[in-house]
Amino acid sequence: MPVIYKPGLSGSEISYIESQLQRKLPEDYKGFLSRSNGLYLTEPDFGQLSLTSVDEQFVSFDRFFGLIPTEECNDLVSFNKEFIDELSFLQEVIAVGEDGGGNPYVIVGEPGREGVYYWDRTHLHEGEASNSFDIQEQGDSGNLFYMGKNFEDFYSLVIGTLGGSPQFIEER
């Protein structure tokens, strides 16, 4: 499966992201951004990640955000500025990717809840008795489902589900 990525970011570009989001990025995520300024899947344009705590037993994965101001739906800063306040009841939250249908993947740094979560922002998995969320929504924010202990583990999960040897293609 082709995986399209843009060349990595410089230290000053990563610092710019942190200043815009007013949050310190986890070291493993900064490492990813220094190697790859976001990425997305093609042919097919999504992957499926096992998540037994939702009714279908899987969720989709489409992309990791990057610093791409000309593409708001792929831009880490734009996406976070527009949507992350919906999770204001959590500390240290950063949206880092999406399923392709408006449901982000977020890194939560709040003590006792650290990890990467699938955020069911659009309530795609709402109302099923079989769903078992890890962080309950407040207001109408959508429940969060645990995916991994840190970004590097989550990235490995995503790449591991692509089967065989994914073909990484640099886009300039």
Side-chain angles (χ1 to χ4, degrees):
M1 170 182 293
V3 177
I4 311 299
Y5 70 97
K6 293 185 183 300
L9 299 174
S10 68
S12 62
E13 289 169 317
I14 293 171
S15 293
Y16 169 78
I17 292 169
E18 290 179 319
S19 72
Q20 289 298 302
L21 300 181
Q22 299 177 347
R23 288 185 173 78
K24 181 124 175 81
L25 300 175
E27 290 301 317
D28 59 347
Y29 185 55
K30 289 196 291 190
F32 165 76
L33 290 173
S34 70
R35 294 185 309 272
S36 175
N37 182 18
L39 63 78
Y40 62 93
L41 307 180
T42 64
E43 300 174 31
D45 63 351
F46 68 94
Q48 292 185 331
L49 307 177
S50 175
L51 185 58
T52 58
S53 55
V54 297
D55 45 346
E56 291 94 3
Q57 307 289 302
F58 70 89
V59 290
S60 294
F61 175 83
D62 178 61
R63 71 186 130 219
F64 284 122
F65 301 134
L67 181 60
I68 313 169
T70 58
E71 301 174 20
E72 284 188 13
C73 68
N74 293 319
D75 185 55
L76 178 66
V77 172
S78 297
F79 192 94
N80 277 276
K81 284 187 172 189
E82 185 170 350
F83 297 109
I84 210 65
D85 283 348
E86 295 173 25
L87 295 178
S88 63
F89 62 94
L90 294 171
Q91 299 172 19
E92 304 285 325
V93 182
I94 301 165
V96 296
E98 192 194 41
D99 68 354
N103 297 307
Y105 290 93
V106 297
I107 298 173
V108 175
E110 181 175 318
R113 293 181 163 170
E114 296 96 340
V116 177
Y117 293 81
Y118 171 75
W119 173 19
D120 186 19
R121 189 177 167 277
T122 66
H123 300 94
L124 179 63
H125 302 284
E126 183 179 79
E128 294 294 326
S130 60
N131 290 344
S132 176
F133 52 82
D134 296 287
I135 300 176
Q136 185 172 10
E137 72 178 339
Q138 290 190 16
D140 197 28
S141 65
N143 296 316
L144 289 95
F145 299 85
Y146 184 80
M147 297 297 298
K149 67 180 180 178
N150 56 40
F151 181 81
E152 194 61 40
D153 281 358
F154 180 62
Y155 177 83
S156 294
L157 172 70
V158 169
I159 299 304
T161 63
L162 301 180
S165 298
Q167 180 185 8
F168 288 84
I169 302 168
E170 185 175 296
E171 177 182 80
R172 294 214 173 244

